[in-house]
Amino acid sequence: MNDQSHGCCNANESGRSSSKNSEISRSRIVSREEWQEAHQAFLEEEKAFTRARDELNAKRRQLPMMEVTKRYVFNGTNGTSSLHDLFAGRRQLIVYHFMFDPGWKEGCDGCSMMVDNMGHPSHLNARDTTLVLISRAPLDKVEPFKARMGWTIPWYSSFSSEFNRDFGATTENGETHGYSVFLLDDNRIYHTYSSWRRGVEYLGSNWSYLDMTPLGRQELWEESPSWVNQTATYEWWRHHDRYEK
């Protein structure tokens, strides 16, 4: 679509829930003992889901990688940058493909909610990881909208390159949202993973972002490739103003 009068990610134009009000089923009102029994049984299912997710994350860290040899140019607050520059001296780069078509007046509402939930970058930085936004809209549209939203996360325009199309963020049907992960090794860049649409819904915590990367959380309990340096669980945490620069 070419304009966003109804929001680019919101299928419900009215913004109101279509569900009907109903009374709580009385069969769900139980004693304390029954409540504890039901919740304990459900907790076991949740634990199984967590273990399955850990296994899936381990498989993701073992996925093959594709070297990125094409040169891309991005426009940002401090001028033009290459894909290599976007790593900001770190080993991993997470790109959020923010939906912002050059013809739109403002960025996607759903993508904006996603960015609102992004935490302080120092925790990812401490794990050698940089998170940035990239959109196809030109910088003269990106910058005012970024200021309006009060965001400080680095945001780049790919308007001058084919980056969006090459990595699936711009399709025949227009813009789409998702994440792409890159690894820098021996001065070479590798595309390791991408996730789209509902695949990005649970992302937002530092853990969920690190779980997408080939290095993972870099903690000793993880099943990771042999070349990943790991540290004791939890011990790397700091207040965000106390990490070593």
Side-chain angles (χ1 to χ4, degrees), residues 160-177:
S160 301
S161 75
E162 297 177 335
F163 178 83
N164 266 44
R165 295 191 181 279
D166 288 351
F167 288 93
T170 299
T171 70
E172 294 179 355
N173 297 320
E175 306 302 294
T176 190
H177 66 286

Side-chain angles (χ1 to χ4, degrees), residues 41 43 196:
L43 179 61
W196 304 97

Side-chain angles (χ1 to χ4, degrees), residues 48-116:
F49 176 77
T50 297
R51 290 189 289 269
R53 184 174 57 199
D54 289 341
E55 293 176 3
L56 187 66
N57 291 335
K59 290 181 179 180
R60 185 186 294 109
R61 291 191 290 274
Q62 298 286 353
L63 287 173
M65 308 176 189
M66 178 182 67
E67 185 173 2
V68 181
T69 57
K70 192 171 182 178
R71 295 183 179 275
Y72 297 101
V73 176
F74 304 94
N75 295 313
T77 303
N78 298 318
T80 59
S81 300
S82 66
L83 185 59
H84 187 285
D85 294 332
L86 269 51
F87 282 80
R90 301 183 183 93
R91 198 174 182 190
Q92 297 189 129
L93 173 68
I94 301 174
V95 171
Y96 180 61
H97 300 285
F98 191 111
M99 294 173 63
F100 199 161
D101 185 273
W104 294 350
K105 296 180 180 179
E106 58 186 10
C108 167
D109 49 8
C111 291
S112 297
M113 185 168 63
M114 176 66 72
V115 179
D116 283 339

Side-chain angles (χ1 to χ4, degrees), residues 217-232:
R217 305 184 188 188
Q218 302 155 58
E219 295 179 344
L220 291 172
W221 65 271
E222 289 181 303
E223 181 182 341
S224 296
S226 59
W227 45 268
V228 176
N229 294 322
Q230 297 175 307
T231 60

